[in-house]
Amino acid sequence: ACYNGDPLEYYMEVITLLLNTWLGYKENRTEDALRCLKQQASDYDVNGTARRREDIKILMSHLSALQNSNTNNPALNETMNYFIHVELWNGATLVLDKHPIIVKTMDLDTKIMACFLSTVGRCCRLTTMWELICNEQDLLKGV
């Protein structure tokens, strides 16, 4: 689908689908695996337009931002928003796993918090869920 002259919008959908599946495996969510993926992507010359190369470069730069341990990094919000925009859901949960404190900056409505925590419970590490609950003590008020 990527190289048969299909429109550019399908190209990113295919890449996102493949990357989403790849990130679904726990062993692919480590810093070493992400570094290896970035190296493979930079070595691979994308057939076609400069826009395709730029799309891959942007995607890889957001994945690379997760290797930065600085939790005050404003790029984390940008990375989370980008992953949500391109519907890279396993990328979004990877952001949460690496930097759970980002939830404080997301301004989630209390009404959707149960659904959000359910998703985090299914897709993230147990320690991520623990940190989220510890950081959202107001949710436990009156329990």
Side-chain angles (χ1 to χ4, degrees), residues 25-36:
Y25 293 97
K26 192 178 278 188
E27 61 271 9
N28 293 338
R29 296 169 71 99
T30 65
E31 287 189 25
D32 288 337
L34 292 174
R35 196 174 307 113
C36 180

Side-chain angles (χ1 to χ4, degrees), residues 91-102:
T93 59
L94 182 61
V95 173
L96 291 173
D97 266 341
K98 298 271 186 190
H99 305 284
I101 196 75
I102 195 172

Side-chain angles (χ1 to χ4, degrees), residues 26-105:
K26 192 178 278 188
E27 61 271 9
N28 293 338
R29 296 169 71 99
T30 65
E31 287 189 25
D32 288 337
L34 292 174
R35 196 174 307 113
C36 180
L37 175 68
K38 184 180 177 191
Q39 182 62 43
Q40 292 294 324
S42 65
D43 289 347
Y44 183 70
D45 185 21
V46 178
N47 216 1
T49 67
R51 179 172 169 208
R52 287 182 182 172
R53 283 189 291 278
E54 190 60 30
D55 288 344
I56 296 297
K57 190 176 177 182
I58 291 169
L59 184 60
M60 290 299 127
S61 72
H62 284 292
L63 281 172
S64 296
L66 297 178
Q67 294 174 345
N68 184 352
S69 61
N70 183 4
T71 56
N72 294 324
N73 185 355
L76 288 176
N77 288 329
E78 187 179 316
T79 296
M80 179 64 98
N81 290 336
Y82 177 79
F83 288 159
I84 291 169
H85 174 74
V86 298
E87 298 180 6
L88 186 63
W89 304 119
N90 283 327
T93 59
L94 182 61
V95 173
L96 291 173
D97 266 341
K98 298 271 186 190
H99 305 284
I101 196 75
I102 195 172
V103 173
K104 285 286 195 192
T105 65

